[in-house]
Amino acid sequence: MYIHLDRSSSTPLWQQIVTGIIQKIHSQKLNPNDQLTPTRVLAQELNVSRSTVQLAYDELLARGYVSTSRRGGTKVISSDQYVASTPHQSEPPFALPVRPHFDEAEKQMEHWLSANEFHEKLDIDFRHQEPAIDEHFQNIWKRSLMKALQHLDMKDWGYSSPHGLWEVRSEIRQYLSVERGINVEEDQMVLTGARSKPLT
């Protein structure tokens, strides 16, 4: 599979590979169910490291252009299974969300802990921290989201049971049975978002 790489460009090679493959998909040079060249072979053809090609394939998977399996390799998926993003050369920097009053609240928490004579004995620190939203985190969530969306039924787009998701209650039932020795059925459970809701 020929992909032009400009080694003098400031755009990383893996991103050029992503753009090249997306262009082939949009121009129908790659069709649904077409298998992409294995990473090791494509790395040799393009004279790049295998990790560079693997990074490009991971990005295509995260964007929903391809699917992967151990037996079938990496294949282009049907256009009705993904929302195609336009090819681009560089990703915009990820901006942290605005957090009004958060910094002030964090300072107050720090002050409270420093004034508390028992704070050194605390086993768990409940202070607010920055969420892990680095690039690796985003790629994992994008892949997980696309995988989940591909298996959704129409009923999954509506409201769930007021007792809570059946799958979650099933996992809780199994946990209670194995870890706690408590036998309970799913229809005996009610999942709530807070402690006060069941009391009202």
Side-chain angles (χ1 to χ4, degrees):
M1 179 168 57
Y2 174 75
I3 298 175
H4 174 71
L5 298 180
D6 184 1
R7 301 180 187 275
S8 62
S9 172
S10 59
T11 303
L13 294 177
W14 70 266
Q15 205 167 53
Q16 295 185 44
I17 296 174
V18 170
T19 301
I21 293 177
I22 290 177
Q23 289 175 344
K24 289 181 181 294
I25 293 175
H26 286 310
S27 62
Q28 298 182 349
K29 293 179 180 178
L30 284 174
N31 298 307
N33 295 322
D34 283 353
Q35 186 168 0
L36 298 187
T37 306
T39 56
R40 190 184 301 277
V41 176
L42 186 58
Q44 294 175 350
E45 292 178 357
L46 301 179
N47 194 24
V48 297
S49 67
R50 186 183 180 188
S51 61
T52 299
V53 178
Q54 186 62 56
L55 185 60
Y57 280 19
D58 287 346
E59 179 67 15
L60 290 168
L61 178 63
R63 296 190 192 182
Y65 282 98
V66 300
S67 63
T68 183
S69 64
R70 292 184 178 179
R71 294 184 178 181
T74 303
K75 294 183 177 181
V76 178
I77 66 174
S78 175
S79 59
D80 60 358
Q81 292 180 280
Y82 68 86
V83 179
S85 59
T86 55
H88 54 276
Q89 294 295 323
S90 61
E91 294 282 353
F94 184 83
L96 292 175
V98 179
R99 306 175 304 169
H101 312 301
F102 182 88
D103 294 334
E104 184 63 28
E106 191 173 32
K107 290 179 182 178
Q108 292 178 1
M109 181 66 74
E110 293 284 353
H111 175 72
W112 179 85
L113 287 175
S114 62
N116 190 333
E117 59 180 340
F118 301 106
H119 74 277
E120 294 182 357
K121 299 180 181 179
L122 295 177
D123 294 330
I124 303 176
D125 188 354
F126 289 101
R127 287 175 292 179
H128 298 288
Q129 301 294 335
E130 293 287 347
I133 48 178
D134 56 13
E135 183 178 358
H136 179 66
F137 173 88
Q138 295 176 56
N139 288 335
I140 290 176
W141 271 104
K142 285 191 289 186
R143 288 197 298 269
S144 299
L145 176 62
M146 293 306 304
K147 182 177 180 181
L149 290 177
Q150 290 176 16
H151 296 87
L152 280 181
D153 295 326
M154 287 301 297
K155 63 181 180 64
D156 296 321
W157 292 97
Y159 291 106
S160 61
S161 168
H163 297 89
L165 289 175
W166 179 269
E167 293 81 358
V168 178
R169 286 184 284 155
S170 179
E171 290 294 328
I172 294 176
R173 182 196 63 78
Q174 184 176 0
Y175 169 80
L176 292 175
S177 176
V178 174
E179 300 294 337
R180 303 291 183 177
I182 300 174
N183 294 321
V184 63
E185 298 300 328
E186 289 86 348
D187 55 8
Q188 295 177 282
M189 301 181 193
V190 176
L191 305 183
T192 66
R195 290 178 296 178
S196 61
K197 288 185 178 180
L199 303 177
T200 57

